[in-house]
Amino acid sequence: MSTTSLAQPRTYYKMSSIDQQKKLIKRICQKYQNSPWPSLAQLQKATSLDTPAPARGGVWIARTSFSAPTNPAIRDVLYTVIHRLKKEYHRISPVEETPVIDVGVEFIGPRSQVPDDAPEPDIPEEEKLRALLQECNSELTILYAHGGGLYFSSPAQYRASSIGLAKLTGARVASIKYRLTPSHTFPASILDILVAYASLLYPLADHTGRNSAGANITLGLMKLLLEVQKLPPSDATFDFHGQSVALPLPAGLAICDQCDSLPSWHCNGETDILTVLQPACMPGHPTDSIWPASPPREVPYCVAATLDHELRGVDGNRVVASQAAKSGVTVIWNEYEGMPHEVLIFLSALPQAQHLLQLWAAACQAFAGGKIGARELQSGAVRWLIPDCKPMVLGSPVGIAPLPFEEVRKRMEYNATRPVWTGELHEHKL
């Protein structure tokens, strides 16, 4: 089975020509790239507001948190793996600078028998969660980690996809609010998603869950869980809210947009909202009380030399997919011709946005059952062409990496040559 059988798109808006789409994409991307940069503190404040998409119509949103365990053993497991994978030049935040804290979460689920414009009910969040759990009859839970380069945004900003996944799958979506850089460095965000994952597996309340979805930190979580399987049983089990627990693997992983130093990053400037460097690393980006960091460093998340730590994820989705397929993992690869980062947010009117969301939902459902419809889940790679998502089968995901893995690792070494970021105008060496 190729991935063309994953989801032939349902009804969606269709633009009449390739030129129309290309002009729209170029205009949106140039508008975004030419917008004034806010400081990171301003950006974080603006994107933390609970305003972009209120819970109208057939959806429940319950805002709550996963409680931090009083015993920090879960952090000890994380740091055990970090130091097992640490290279001599990596600089890791000391354990005492990464406390275990409560992790904010939006639970999202289908809400039936209400008009499409029905407002969110004015009841306590606990009652909303109870109603959501009573109404949701799916055993599937999707753990969702939002985008934003790890230094801005929130679950509320990503409701276009989290609400869509809940409606299309019938599942509970747990969209987490992890700690943001530059105030919180690696591995704080991974610890937060780990606490959320463990809380879904071993809940204090009834938020049972099975599956995971996300991006960069989700790859870090997956690598962590794989490494935990290699630990001696005494190290791989730990106290979590008074229970002795282990960390099994999730049923599957669905990710979007995770690249930086591969060739496509350098040649698709007109069809992406991002340039070679993220805005926070560009010369002349506004400074404020949190950026530059204190002491200054090259990138918001960590010292640049630590960017190749294995819990940071390997650079480039194609490389990750290819390496996973070579290792025997079932990989379903979908790419969209000419689409920018965050197409679900910036270009939601395009057919590709709805098509992508449907594929994403189908993948999450397939992970839970091991099959799509009556067919067993199998690897495959497809490129969906503009303007109306015509499939071009690419074959096995094993061969989709643009460069050999060793070359990718070598290219990542450029991170160590980045200048410390101070906001001054200077040339970045790439």
Side-chain angles (χ1 to χ4, degrees):
M1 183 198 75
S2 73
T3 46
T4 52
S5 64
L6 254 181
Q8 289 301 322
R10 303 172 188 175
T11 302
Y12 52 77
Y13 175 67
K14 180 177 180 179
M15 302 192 80
S16 60
S17 72
I18 292 175
D19 285 342
Q20 273 187 311
Q21 278 201 4
K22 286 184 175 180
K23 287 178 182 178
L24 174 63
I25 293 165
K26 183 176 180 179
R27 185 169 71 249
I28 294 296
C29 291
Q30 288 182 341
K31 180 180 178 180
Y32 184 86
Q33 290 186 13
N34 294 332
S35 297
W37 290 328
S39 70
L40 289 200
Q42 292 173 324
L43 183 62
Q44 289 183 4
K45 182 178 180 180
T47 59
S48 67
L49 300 176
D50 188 14
T51 55
R56 290 191 172 275
V59 64
W60 287 106
I61 295 182
R63 303 153 187 86
T64 182
S65 63
F66 295 118
S67 298
T70 54
N71 187 325
I74 192 169
R75 181 184 61 185
D76 297 339
V77 172
L78 171 60
Y79 269 82
T80 295
V81 172
I82 286 174
H83 287 292
R84 280 171 60 96
L85 300 174
K86 180 179 178 293
K87 295 182 172 66
E88 184 178 353
Y89 54 84
H90 289 155
R91 289 168 58 186
I92 311 299
S93 298
V95 64
E96 61 271 13
E97 294 181 9
T98 311
V100 187
I101 65 169
D102 294 352
V103 178
V105 58
E106 285 188 354
F107 276 99
I108 301 163
R111 181 184 174 202
S112 63
Q113 299 181 341
V114 294
D116 290 343
D117 61 349
E120 185 172 358
D122 185 17
I123 58 176
E125 299 299 319
E126 294 82 359
E127 291 186 28
K128 294 176 189 174
L129 181 57
R130 255 192 316 271
L132 184 159
L133 295 173
Q134 288 173 358
E135 191 164 340
C136 183
N137 55 19
S138 172
E139 294 183 1
L140 175 66
T141 297
I142 299 170
L143 177 57
Y144 189 102
H146 66 77
L150 299 173
Y151 61 86
F152 72 99
S153 209
S154 65
Q157 296 286 318
Y158 278 76
R159 289 182 188 154
S161 50
S162 59
I163 289 176
L165 286 173
K167 288 183 175 180
L168 288 169
T169 62
R172 295 172 293 269
V173 175
S175 183
I176 67 164
K177 187 175 183 178
Y178 52 84
R179 280 172 280 189
L180 299 175
T181 67
S183 301
H184 306 284
T185 56
F186 171 78
S189 58
I190 296 180
L191 178 57
D192 291 346
I193 194 173
L194 178 60
V195 168
Y197 183 70
S199 298
L200 289 172
L201 291 171
Y202 308 105
L204 292 177
D206 188 16
H207 343 114
T208 55
R210 291 169 55 187
N211 297 325
S212 173
N216 196 310
I217 60 172
T218 314
L219 283 171
L221 173 66
M222 179 62 79
K223 177 62 177 177
L224 168 66
L225 297 175
L226 288 168
E227 291 297 321
V228 168
Q229 313 305 309
K230 303 175 185 177
L231 296 176
S234 58
D235 294 331
T237 57
F238 58 94
D239 180 277
F240 187 71
H241 292 297
Q243 302 180 70
S244 180
V245 304
L247 292 172
L249 297 176
L253 195 69
I255 62 173
C256 294
D257 291 342
Q258 200 250 337
C259 51
D260 196 345
S261 64
L262 299 187
S264 64
W265 192 257
H266 294 258
C267 61
N268 292 323
E270 289 190 346
T271 57
D272 205 352
I273 60 173
L274 299 179
T275 55
V276 173
L277 291 171
Q278 292 191 356
C281 297
M282 291 288 284
H285 190 279
T287 61
D288 61 16
S289 60
I290 62 173
W291 187 240
S294 180
R297 57 180 180 266
E298 300 86 351
V299 293
Y301 194 36
C302 58
V303 173
T306 309
L307 286 172
D308 69 348
H309 190 285
E310 291 186 48
L311 290 195
R312 279 273 305 131
V314 178
D315 206 13
N317 274 356
R318 277 180 168 254
V319 175
V320 173
S322 176
Q323 289 297 111
K326 289 176 183 177
S327 301
V329 176
T330 299
V331 174
I332 301 168
W333 171 263
N334 292 285
E335 65 179 60
Y336 289 82
E337 181 184 18
M339 293 296 110
H341 281 75
E342 307 292 10
V343 62
L344 287 172
I345 294 177
F346 290 96
L347 291 161
S348 58
L350 288 184
Q352 288 88 343
Q354 187 61 27
H355 185 272
L356 166 61
L357 194 58
Q358 290 164 7
L359 287 176
W360 201 355
C364 291
Q365 290 175 313
F367 295 152
K371 59 181 64 178
I372 301 169
R375 301 188 179 188
E376 292 298 318
L377 192 61
Q378 296 181 16
S379 292
V382 174
R383 191 177 201 212
W384 303 95
L385 305 179
I386 57 175
D388 53 3
C389 300
K390 180 180 179 180
M392 182 174 74
V393 178
L394 302 178
S396 170
V398 170
I400 63 175
L403 296 170
F405 186 70
E406 294 73 19
E407 176 66 17
V408 174
R409 279 291 190 191
K410 184 177 180 181
R411 288 191 177 214
M412 289 180 70
E413 293 175 3
Y414 88 89
N415 285 317
T417 71
R418 291 187 182 190
V420 170
W421 194 89
T422 61
E424 297 176 358
L425 293 174
H426 55 254
E427 292 297 323
H428 281 255
K429 181 179 178 182
L430 294 173

